[in-house]
Amino acid sequence: MIEYRQEKMFCKGKFKLITELNEFRMALWINGFGLENTLTGEEIIPVISSFNLDDIKEVNEEVLKIKFRIYPNGLQHYAVEINPFLKSFVYEDKIYSTDNFFKTITGQEWK
């Protein structure tokens, strides 16, 4: 049985990465992801099902390096460094608020 939704703790258990497997097309599964504050339940980044998580590493106890792709065009790779404590992320050497994560990466409003 496939477990579609999984959670993994980071930053000494203060934040959790939520991943959800979604069938994008027949036999193409996308591992959508989001980030949540475990103490308050606040959504730092919503679970975005068209973003496919390739890799996540905890750089130190405050920063997460995430590599992902966006479908339907899954050829381009994206890399961000997220500081969930500050609700900010670095993308292409600029700092942004996590409130604008989807729009910064895609140029579109989050639905």
Side-chain angles (χ1 to χ4, degrees):
M1 185 169 146
I2 294 177
E3 197 56 49
Y4 292 103
R5 183 180 173 103
Q6 295 185 345
E7 299 176 354
K8 184 175 180 182
M9 301 301 209
F10 286 94
C11 303
K12 292 189 171 182
K14 293 184 175 132
F15 297 93
K16 65 180 166 184
L17 176 78
I18 302 162
T19 57
E20 286 186 352
L21 275 175
N22 297 291
E23 190 170 20
F24 191 73
R25 273 183 266 169
M26 187 185 293
L28 175 61
W29 288 87
I30 305 300
N31 196 23
F33 66 92
L35 197 59
E36 185 177 291
N37 183 318
T38 56
L39 302 175
T40 65
E42 180 184 16
E43 190 176 69
I44 305 300
I45 296 173
V47 176
I48 304 170
S49 60
S50 61
F51 285 17
N52 183 65
L53 180 68
D54 289 327
D55 188 44
I56 183 166
K57 290 184 178 146
E58 192 170 340
V59 176
N60 53 42
E61 294 172 358
E62 295 180 359
V63 175
L64 303 171
K65 271 188 162 178
I66 297 178
K67 292 181 183 175
F68 63 97
R69 290 171 286 151
I70 302 174
Y71 282 85
N73 177 15
L75 299 176
Q76 184 174 350
H77 294 264
Y78 298 85
V80 296
E81 288 188 8
I82 300 173
N83 184 325
F85 293 96
L86 299 178
K87 291 181 61 182
S88 67
F89 69 101
V90 176
Y91 173 63
E92 295 182 339
D93 298 322
K94 293 182 183 169
I95 299 173
Y96 301 93
S97 167
T98 56
D99 292 339
N100 300 315
F101 187 75
F102 185 83
K103 185 176 182 177
T104 302
I105 304 296
T106 66
Q108 302 170 4
E109 292 292 329
W110 173 247
K111 300 168 189 153

